[in-house]
């Protein structure tokens, strides 16, 4: 598709880089939401892509919702519901993407910008990146559930009620991001992670992502039981049988193409 808010590049086999590029601060409007949903649906079905890096152009990952668009929103019946539906699907298009998505958090992620990052499987942050939830100061609500996905109750509410900025070091301390790196090496590390994932069996990786997503909604015992059922199904695949034979024979498995 000819996207106007995103650029898609394939810097190496198996890896796609999706860059949010809506100057000046990558604010989210309806066009950008619909484009990302379309892009990630397409990449989910593209067998040449095995891992995705999501980042922002410039110095900001995403400043969140475009408030100018919200102020001018139509009051026609059903319009607000449609807006909410598209917004939800925008965030969950990342989580629902069949391929693992690594967020290279290159700068501030504000409000809905944080929610976009939160949908990614792995988040790696630049040292000068930060998260802020200013919803209360804008007369808005939303994002609390995303915060509680990554942060303890007390920390989530502190961030939301005060609107404080949480720098990358604090995000790392609370376990929200996998690593914090200088900005000039951020993309290199994100691509390294993507490359490692792309080298794995694609069916096994996609099954693992589906399992993480499904088990996240289950209690511990039921979640593990579900994982065991997936293992049982996967065990019958040619990939699993070859991988196990290779382990016993102390050789590298033949993963095919």
């Amino acid at each position: 598709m000819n996207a106007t808010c995103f650029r898609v590049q394939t810097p190496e086999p198996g890896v796609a880089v999706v860059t949010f590029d809506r100057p000046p601060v990558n604010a989210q409007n309806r066009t950008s939401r619909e484009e990302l949903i379309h892009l990630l649906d397409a990449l989910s079905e593209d067998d040449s892509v095995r891992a995705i890096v999501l980042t922002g152009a410039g110095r900001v990952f995403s400043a969140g919702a475009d408030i100018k668009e919200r102020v001018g929103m139509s009051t026609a019946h059903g319009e607000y519901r449609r807006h909410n539906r598209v917004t939800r699907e925008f965030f969950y298009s990342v989580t629902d993407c069949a391929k693992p998505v690594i967020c290279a958090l290159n700068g501030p992620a504000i409000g809905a910008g944080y929610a976009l990052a939160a949908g990614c499987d792995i988040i790696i942050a630049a040292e000068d990146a930060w998260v802020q939830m200013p919803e209360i100061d804008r007369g808005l609500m939303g994002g609390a559930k995303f915060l509680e996905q990554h942060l303890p109750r007390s920390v989530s509410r502190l961030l939301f009620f005060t609107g404080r900025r949480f720098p990358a070091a604090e995000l790392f301390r609370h376990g929200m991001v996998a690593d914090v790196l200088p900005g000039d090496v951020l993309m290199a590390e994100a691509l390294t992670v993507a490359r490692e994932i792309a080298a794995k069996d694609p069916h096994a990786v996609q099954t693992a992502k589906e399992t993480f997503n499904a088990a996240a909604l289950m209690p511990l015992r039921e979640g593990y039981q579900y994982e065991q059922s997936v293992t049982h199904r996967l065990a019958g695949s040619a990939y699993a049988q070859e991988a196990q034979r290779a382990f016993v024979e102390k050789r590298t498995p033949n993963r095919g193409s």
Side-chain angles (χ1 to χ4, degrees):
M1 65 177 292
N2 295 319
T4 60
C5 301
F6 290 90
R7 289 184 279 111
V8 181
Q9 299 165 295
T10 50
E12 54 190 84
V15 176
V17 176
V18 177
T19 304
F20 194 1
D21 190 3
R22 185 172 183 251
V25 291
N26 301 325
Q28 301 165 17
N29 65 351
R30 177 164 291 177
T31 298
S32 65
R33 294 183 184 107
E34 291 175 342
E35 286 185 356
L36 186 63
I37 292 168
H38 187 166
L39 282 172
L40 292 180
D41 283 349
L43 291 173
S44 287
E45 297 181 3
D46 186 342
D47 291 339
S48 70
V49 174
R50 298 185 175 188
I52 299 166
V53 176
L54 176 64
T55 193
R59 300 176 61 86
V60 178
F61 175 73
S62 174
D66 190 334
I67 302 299
K68 293 178 182 178
E69 180 184 70
R70 180 177 288 272
V71 169
M73 188 179 299
S74 170
T75 58
H77 290 317
E79 185 63 18
Y80 200 81
R81 287 177 178 271
R82 179 169 182 262
H83 167 81
N84 284 345
R85 181 174 292 109
V86 172
T87 299
R88 284 195 302 272
E89 293 308 313
F90 170 72
F91 298 137
Y92 282 104
S93 67
V94 184
T95 304
D96 294 343
C97 180
K99 316 297 171 63
V101 181
I102 301 103
C103 176
L105 194 68
N106 58 296
I110 304 169
Y114 160 73
L116 176 60
C120 296
D121 298 282
I122 300 166
I123 305 174
I124 304 170
E127 289 174 335
D128 58 354
W130 44 268
V131 164
Q132 183 184 30
M133 302 298 288
E135 272 71 2
I136 285 179
D137 295 330
R138 307 289 188 271
L140 302 172
M141 187 53 58
K145 195 64 180 175
F146 288 106
L147 286 172
E148 290 185 343
Q149 175 181 315
H150 285 123
L151 300 170
R153 171 189 170 101
S154 181
V155 177
S156 297
R157 297 187 184 207
L158 173 65
L159 198 158
F160 202 92
F161 294 161
T162 65
R164 290 182 184 179
R165 295 182 181 184
F166 265 40
E170 281 295 293
L171 300 175
F172 182 74
R173 185 167 74 89
H174 289 293
M176 178 188 152
V177 301
D179 205 353
V180 177
L181 300 165
D184 59 353
V185 298
L186 177 68
M187 278 302 297
E189 177 60 19
L191 288 171
T192 295
V193 174
R195 190 180 305 118
E196 290 179 23
I197 294 171
K200 309 291 184 184
D201 179 82
H203 175 66
V205 171
Q206 290 183 45
T207 300
K209 176 161 182 176
E210 291 169 5
T211 304
F212 264 108
N213 287 348
L217 304 175
M218 302 177 188
L220 178 60
R221 181 183 180 89
E222 287 75 6
Y224 182 57
Q225 185 176 8
Y226 173 74
E227 290 183 62
Q228 289 179 311
S229 72
V230 175
T231 297
H232 179 69
R233 294 198 302 272
L234 193 62
S237 69
Y239 154 72
Q241 293 172 12
E242 163 61 11
Q244 291 166 22
R245 281 195 301 268
F247 178 80
V248 172
E249 296 168 7
K250 296 181 172 56
R251 61 176 174 80
T252 301
N254 177 13
R255 301 193 188 279
S257 59

